[in-house]
Amino acid sequence: MGKATPMRYTIRMLIYYQDIAPLSDFGIGIPVSDIRAPKCIEYLSGLPEIRPHLEALICKEHEESISRTDVARVHTPNYVKRIFEEERESTLIEAFELLDEKGNYNRYDPSKAKRPLKELFDTLLVKTAGTYQCAKSALESGFCFYFGGGFHHAHPDFGHGFCLINDIMIAARRLMAERRVESVWVIDVDAHKGDGSAAIAHSDPSIRTLSIHMGAGWPLDGLEFGPDGTQHPSFIPSDIDIPVFEGEEHLYNQALAEGLEKLDAFMKPDLAIVVSGSDPYEKDTLPSSAKLQLTLEQMAERDRLVYDFLKERRIPAAYLMAGSYSPESWRVYAALLELALKDRLKS
Ligand SMILES: [Zn+2]
């Protein structure tokens, strides 16, 4: 026997693409907090239980790519044609809401752009590949967190809410096509309803969706039914919808626990994708998430509930960063990662 070597973790649990062009490169002024990942890494490297393993746990390489076929498993043929061939720029303008109702630029200044808007599409495909890579890693290791992804507002035939294509469903359907999984749960704890995911999975029993979100406000702020009686697609229900209204923050985690119990009545899946937005946090600055104001402790309790629920059932969990819009958002993810990585490293 030779000298004992330190234990090595060859399975990565953090996906961190450092070379993604920020939205500001395209002239877009959405206040996404770009310090989230480095601040989390800095925090984790200060924890003696995690520091020696941290390097080995992080994957920075782009190991996957997303094809038109992958996108076409989720989005309608017309929409796929628009985004791949004909109307890339206009679909991006719609999805990122870069024009207001009067046709003026909204949070968008092309004169400040370093890259043409249509190149944002390639960036979104790379980001979506990260979600697929995260899901695949989670199947191997039981847990993986991606510093990106969570485009849950992309519907089968349109994008909105900064979401052009639905990375969550693209990853889930591809894993099914490859026969790596038969069924997936999507647990969406972002402040905004996962309306696109609900619409895509609505008649697909192999993907069960749970969304806990603001009961009022975007994307549920319009009329549910139009003059002709058709339902606005944002109101298509998830399998389990948990609306939380202003002032009900103290009921949030109890409602989440009850929702998870209901999810448990469905057949156990091969994978769960957690859309782990931190915008319910009280320090989030996006006006459209202001109706939920959870404290850091309530956010930690939320994340512990979901983490323990999946771990107890031995369901591999792929976490996506999703929405967060504050210089303080990283604290929510750092607490989740401290919990998960300490737990995984000891077992
Ligand atoms: Zn959100």
Side-chain angles (χ1 to χ4, degrees):
M1 291 288 286
K3 205 169 104 185
T5 50
M7 194 190 302
R8 295 214 176 271
Y9 295 88
T10 53
I11 294 175
R12 278 77 59 96
M13 294 192 190
L14 299 169
I15 309 284
Y16 179 21
Y17 293 171
Q18 291 175 298
D19 49 358
I20 298 278
L23 290 175
S24 54
D25 273 17
F26 301 94
I28 297 175
I30 295 165
V32 173
S33 169
D34 285 318
I35 60 165
R36 295 169 293 182
K39 291 291 274 184
C40 281
I41 303 287
E42 185 189 327
Y43 176 79
L44 294 171
S45 67
L47 301 173
E49 303 94 323
I50 293 176
R51 184 179 39 231
H53 313 287
L54 192 55
E55 187 100 343
L57 289 170
I58 301 175
C59 180
K60 294 175 181 168
E61 273 90 63
H62 300 207
E63 294 179 345
E64 306 292 346
S65 59
I66 292 295
S67 68
R68 181 168 172 158
T69 305
D70 296 326
V71 177
R73 286 192 198 99
V74 167
H75 296 285
T76 61
N78 266 348
Y79 189 57
V80 172
K81 199 166 183 204
R82 285 183 70 201
I83 55 178
F84 274 89
E85 291 173 29
E86 295 166 354
E87 298 166 47
R88 182 164 299 177
E89 202 160 305
S90 62
T91 51
L92 283 163
I93 286 172
E94 278 165 34
F96 284 81
E97 301 166 7
L98 303 181
L99 288 178
D100 65 19
E101 285 161 7
K102 292 180 187 154
N104 299 316
Y105 287 139
N106 175 39
R107 297 184 289 228
Y108 180 45
D109 184 351
S111 71
K112 291 195 177 144
K114 295 181 200 155
R115 301 158 188 264
L117 185 62
K118 60 184 181 215
E119 279 183 19
L120 176 57
F121 180 65
D122 302 314
T123 301
L124 296 174
L125 286 180
V126 171
K127 288 184 177 182
T128 298
T131 299
Y132 171 72
Q133 188 177 334
C134 175
K136 233 170 110 178
S137 291
L139 288 174
E140 290 165 13
S141 66
F143 172 87
C144 191
F145 181 93
Y146 172 37
F147 288 104
F151 312 134
H152 59 166
H153 299 308
H155 282 251
D157 56 350
F158 71 96
H160 67 166
F162 320 146
C163 303
L164 181 81
I165 52 175
N166 194 308
D167 61 321
I168 308 151
M169 295 295 149
I170 289 170
R173 291 248 169 96
R174 175 159 163 191
L175 290 168
M176 288 180 195
E178 293 170 340
R179 300 190 185 281
R180 293 177 197 273
V181 303
E182 288 184 357
S183 60
V184 174
W185 284 350
V186 175
I187 299 176
D188 190 328
V189 294
D190 189 276
H192 304 92
K193 182 189 170 192
D195 60 331
S197 304
I200 291 164
H202 183 56
S203 51
D204 179 353
S206 63
I207 304 177
R208 296 295 181 183
T209 54
L210 177 153
S211 178
I212 180 164
H213 49 254
M214 298 179 299
W218 199 91
L220 305 174
D221 52 353
L223 290 174
E224 181 169 356
F225 294 98
D228 60 353
T230 52
Q231 188 183 39
H232 187 283
S234 287
F235 289 88
I236 294 172
S238 317
D239 287 293
I240 298 160
D241 272 324
I242 309 166
V244 181
F245 292 90
E246 269 183 289
E248 290 184 350
E249 284 83 356
H250 60 293
L251 303 173
Y252 181 99
N253 280 314
Q254 180 60 33
L256 174 60
E258 288 166 13
L260 291 171
E261 293 275 314
K262 286 187 202 161
L263 190 62
D264 208 21
F266 292 114
M267 198 178 71
K268 183 180 151 183
D270 304 305
L271 172 73
I273 300 176
V274 183
V275 183
S276 199
S278 72
D279 48 4
Y281 182 30
E282 62 185 350
K283 292 199 175 163
D284 198 85
T285 54
L286 190 74
S288 89
S289 66
K291 291 178 193 294
L292 261 187
Q293 301 274 329
L294 299 188
T295 63
L296 195 58
E297 290 71 30
Q298 287 170 325
M299 294 294 286
E301 176 63 14
R302 173 196 81 162
D303 290 342
R304 195 163 34 242
L305 271 171
V306 174
Y307 181 83
D308 286 348
F309 174 79
L310 295 173
K311 171 106 193 283
E312 281 162 15
R313 287 158 186 77
R314 297 180 175 273
I315 298 169
Y319 277 73
L320 310 177
M321 193 158 61
S324 57
Y325 310 91
S326 152
E328 296 294 311
S329 301
W330 67 273
R331 294 183 192 282
V332 175
Y333 302 108
L336 164 67
L337 290 172
E338 179 176 358
L339 164 77
L341 296 182
K342 277 186 179 171
D343 182 45
R344 300 284 163 168
L345 290 171
K346 82 173 188 288
S347 57

